[in-house]
Amino acid sequence: MLHTFQKQLNRILLIAVSTALLAACNSAPSTTGTTSGDKTAAPTTESSPQASSTDKKEKQKIRVQLPFLKQSLDAPLIWAIEKGYFAEEGLDVSYERGFGNADTISKLGTGKYEIAFSDLYNAMEFNDKNPNDKILAVAFYQNKAPFSIITFKDKGINTPADLVGKKLGAPAGDGPRKLFPLFAKEVKISPDSVTWDTMEPKLRETFLLQGKVDAVSGFFTSVIPSLIKGGKTMDDLQIFFYSDFGLDFYGNGILVKQDFMTKNPEAIKSFLKAYFRGMQEVVKDPSAALDLVISTDQSKLMDRDAEKLRLKLALERMYVTPELEAAGFGGVDMKRLEKSITQTVEGFNLKPVTSADVFTDKFLPPKEQRMVPPASDRKPLL
């Protein structure tokens, strides 16, 4: 009887051991990788706890508002998203169109977005009204502002002095229009020597083409492609770039609220690293970058020729400059920035501020990670 009991006990133990082994096999980690963006993650195993925690770590969401409709000028951002550069840095970046720089600043101020692409000068105006809730630039992706006055050569306006007595058109909040008194001061004409006609942004070029105004103020990257699409040629245009007449302003920057900056320094560093990696690729192969932007246009309304011209203008006058080729993307020449800040304070009638009040470079990647690709590495824009 004891022998029979022993045999039954052995059988029970054998079944228990077999069941435990089967359960262990079923709970073993899968050898199939998981995906994150367009990258395939390494298989997770019990011997690789670090890989497991990395795969499961949720990426930090960063919402970006553009200054306007998505354009070829947004190629560095879109390239970095589509190629997975932000994902590699642990960020989940999305973006939405903007409705002009002033509106973009306003929405950043409400906290709707973590990052905004807009100009420093509207940010300074926001800060003047909201001194305890400031917005700062952490980088500039446009080394020169696209501020300009544009007219047609057949109107006989050959120099800025010829604007005297003429009618200019622009939306009420247009940056170059707001800065026109400073432009007038630099070219030695009275700001009151011209009259202004106000219209919606989408009608600005139409008013000029129809002869309702003699010239318009605006971003040349927006105005010129629209006039070319309207039947004009580059030879028809007379362009007064503000940067050629004493207003050497920086263009759009990457802006954040001070509160977000304080709480998320690593996220900002990671964002800038990925963004300027994208910028380098755009400069290397602008045609590929343009095609990528077009391919992400769900509306299918983007005009490739207009976007090509827009990107060409940006590359020539804002994205690749002698200053950038020496110092790398994103930073500033402090004397130049201080001068433009002083001019903005005067032009917008603001309380005096310094560069430290509106810009910091402490989040920029090391210089070697944001250098402009050498000319030998740059393909033409086709």
Side-chain angles (χ1 to χ4, degrees):
M1 185 174 178
L2 181 60
H3 178 70
T4 300
F5 175 76
Q6 185 65 47
K7 288 176 65 176
Q8 290 176 340
L9 180 60
N10 289 343
R11 180 186 294 176
I12 292 170
L13 290 173
L14 180 61
I15 291 172
V17 171
S18 298
T19 301
L21 287 172
L22 180 60
C25 289
N26 288 338
S27 64
S30 168
T31 57
T32 302
T34 57
T35 60
S36 174
D38 61 355
K39 301 291 182 181
T40 301
T44 305
T45 66
E46 287 184 346
S47 62
S48 180
Q50 185 175 7
S52 177
S53 63
T54 300
D55 291 345
K56 293 180 180 178
K57 185 178 180 181
E58 185 176 353
K59 292 180 173 59
Q60 183 171 353
K61 294 185 182 298
I62 299 292
R63 298 163 299 176
V64 178
Q65 188 175 30
L66 306 178
F68 198 57
L69 287 167
K70 179 169 69 175
Q71 301 175 335
S72 56
L73 302 188
D74 302 308
L77 175 73
I78 294 169
W79 187 284
I81 291 174
E82 296 297 322
K83 299 300 181 180
Y85 296 171
F86 289 119
E88 289 179 21
E89 298 297 325
L91 303 178
D92 177 10
V93 175
S94 60
Y95 61 89
E96 293 182 13
R97 65 154 294 178
F99 295 87
N101 277 354
D103 184 74
T104 294
I105 290 292
S106 177
K107 287 176 179 172
L108 177 66
T110 67
K112 184 176 181 180
Y113 301 92
E114 284 73 45
I115 289 177
F117 289 2
S118 187
D119 69 82
L120 181 66
Y121 318 107
N122 277 294
M124 288 172 59
E125 195 167 30
F126 175 91
N127 291 347
D128 195 68
K129 298 173 183 176
N130 302 274
N132 298 319
D133 195 24
K134 292 197 302 184
I135 289 172
L136 288 90
V138 293
F140 287 93
Y141 65 94
Q142 295 178 353
N143 187 252
K144 287 184 177 290
F147 301 160
S148 63
I149 302 289
I150 299 177
T151 182
F152 301 137
K153 291 178 181 177
D154 61 13
K155 289 186 175 292
I157 303 175
N158 301 311
T159 70
D162 297 326
L163 292 169
V164 173
K166 299 296 192 293
K167 181 186 289 187
L168 276 62
D174 178 65
R177 174 176 176 171
K178 291 164 74 174
L179 290 169
F180 182 79
L182 295 180
F183 176 79
K185 179 181 178 181
E186 293 291 334
V187 299
K188 296 180 171 53
I189 64 173
S190 169
D192 298 327
S193 63
V194 305
T195 58
W196 287 93
D197 200 348
T198 302
M199 73 287 296
E200 292 295 318
K202 63 183 180 181
L203 296 176
R204 172 177 15 212
E205 293 80 24
T206 300
F207 271 48
L208 183 57
L209 288 165
Q210 293 179 348
K212 294 181 179 180
V213 295
D214 299 304
V216 296
S217 70
F219 289 9
F220 62 78
T221 48
S222 296
V223 176
I224 293 175
S226 295
L227 293 177
I228 300 301
K229 191 174 181 179
K232 295 295 182 178
T233 69
M234 290 298 294
D235 289 338
D236 294 326
L237 308 184
Q238 182 67 263
I239 308 166
F240 303 125
F241 299 103
Y242 276 26
S243 59
D244 291 342
F245 293 93
L247 300 178
D248 196 13
F249 284 46
Y250 285 92
N252 278 359
I254 298 175
L255 310 178
V256 300
K257 289 186 70 175
Q258 190 171 39
D259 181 62
F260 179 80
M261 182 181 73
T262 301
K263 296 177 180 178
N264 299 273
E266 294 306 314
I268 296 174
K269 290 179 182 178
S270 296
F271 185 92
L272 296 182
K273 179 181 177 182
Y275 180 85
F276 287 115
R277 185 179 169 192
M279 176 70 85
Q280 289 171 325
E281 296 302 319
V282 171
V283 172
K284 284 182 181 178
D285 195 347
S287 297
L290 175 59
D291 289 339
L292 182 62
V293 173
I294 299 294
S295 73
T296 64
D297 174 35
Q298 296 181 354
S299 73
K300 306 303 177 185
L301 297 176
M302 276 184 137
D303 183 326
R304 191 183 191 281
D305 289 338
E307 295 305 324
K308 176 184 174 181
L309 176 58
R310 199 186 319 278
L311 184 57
K312 179 177 183 292
L313 292 167
L315 287 167
E316 291 175 350
R317 294 196 64 93
M318 300 192 300
Y319 289 173
V320 179
T321 68
E323 181 180 315
L324 290 180
E325 293 194 89
F329 293 117
V332 300
D333 177 287
M334 294 308 296
K335 288 184 178 179
R336 180 184 159 200
L337 180 63
E338 287 283 4
K339 181 179 179 181
S340 66
I341 288 172
T342 300
Q343 290 173 316
T344 304
V345 166
E346 178 186 346
F348 287 12
N349 193 27
L350 307 176
K351 292 185 285 291
V353 295
T354 67
S355 59
D357 294 318
V358 293
F359 170 73
T360 177
D361 62 1
K362 67 181 181 180
F363 301 105
L364 286 174
K367 180 178 176 181
E368 61 270 15
Q369 292 182 12
R370 52 187 175 85
M371 290 304 296
V372 178
S376 59
D377 289 349
R378 303 176 207 160
K379 297 181 180 178
L381 175 57
L382 302 175

